């Protein structure tokens, strides 16, 4: 009966600061209390990256199934994002009497984005306008995001909306919606 002995050769490699070339800059700690605007901005960033990836696929005339899979992921992410904003974030901001016109416009923009999303979801990636619709959706979302991050979020902060309290509700609702839509891998991507 041999006693289990750990091989002395198994030394933990010495930690050294790797000099990676263009690796992401050191992660800022996000543990300093989640804030609703930070979470929503993270979604914006994630979906922007997916649109970029789509653009590359489209330029490379990638296979329809590959483009469709990515477009569907974008549509699911945006649908969930819009829903949590509409259910939780916008009403809280509205209640704090933050720029009503801005909120009205944001809701109208959501409705238009959803129309485009519905069109994309009902199309075949081989249809002539498929790529164009995804591209236009991306441009549209960019504009919308600029207004949220540039105007609505700062106004919400100034109005002392309980952004930390909303963060928990947003995360919970988002995870529930994502798993309902079967997009568990998206959840993994977005909660890191
Ligand atoms: Fe947003
Ligand atoms: Fe929005």
């Amino acid at each position: 009966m041999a006693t289990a002995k750990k091989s002395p050769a198994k030394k933990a490699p010495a930690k050294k600061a790797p000099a990676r070339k263009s690796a992401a800059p050191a992660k800022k700690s996000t543990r300093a209390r989640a804030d609703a605007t930070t979470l929503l901005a993270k979604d914006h960033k994630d979906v922007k990256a997916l649109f970029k990836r789509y653009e590359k696929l489209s330029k490379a005339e990638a296979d329809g199934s590959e483009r469709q899979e990515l477009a569907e992921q974008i549509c699911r992410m945006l649908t969930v994002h819009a829903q949590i904003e509409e259910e939780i974030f916008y009403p809280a901001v509205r209640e704090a009497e933050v720029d009503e016109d801005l909120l009205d416009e944001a809701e109208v923009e959501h409705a238009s984005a959803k129309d485009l999303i519905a069109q994309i979801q009902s199309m075949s990636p081989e249809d002539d306008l498929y790529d164009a619709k995804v591209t236009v959706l991306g441009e549209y979302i960019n504009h919308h995001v600029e207004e949220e991050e540039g105007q609505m979020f700062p106004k919400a902060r100034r109005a002392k909306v309980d952004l930390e309290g909303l963060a928990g509700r947003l995360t919970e609702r988002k995870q529930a919606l994502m798993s309902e839509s079967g997009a568990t891998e998206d959840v993994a991507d977005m909660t890191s």
Side-chain angles (χ1 to χ4, degrees), residues 81 85 90 110 144 148:
H81 180 84
E85 283 184 342
Y90 290 178
H110 275 202
H144 178 72
E148 285 186 339

Side-chain angles (χ1 to χ4, degrees), residues 15-78:
K15 271 192 184 172
K16 53 181 176 186
R20 288 192 202 149
K21 35 181 184 173
S22 61
K27 265 191 190 170
K28 271 187 204 157
S29 170
T30 48
R31 313 185 66 186
R33 287 193 196 154
D35 156 327
T37 60
T38 316
L39 292 182
L40 294 172
K42 167 79 165 65
D43 272 6
H44 295 160
K45 195 172 152 234
D46 289 342
V47 82
K48 201 174 192 172
L50 294 188
F51 275 117
K52 277 251 159 67
R53 206 190 297 169
Y54 192 92
E55 194 186 338
K56 280 189 193 150
L57 288 185
S58 160
K59 278 196 181 136
E61 294 179 10
D63 190 58
S65 61
E66 204 181 342
R67 283 181 294 115
Q68 189 172 29
E69 196 181 316
L70 184 53
E72 292 289 334
Q73 190 189 353
I74 289 172
C75 290
R76 280 195 304 269
M77 276 174 69
L78 287 175

Side-chain angles (χ1 to χ4, degrees), residues 93-103 152 155-156 159 161:
V93 176
R94 213 178 262 283
E95 206 169 293
E97 297 182 352
V98 168
D99 199 333
E100 212 173 307
D101 291 346
L102 192 61
L103 281 157
M152 191 191 295
K155 285 183 179 183
V161 173

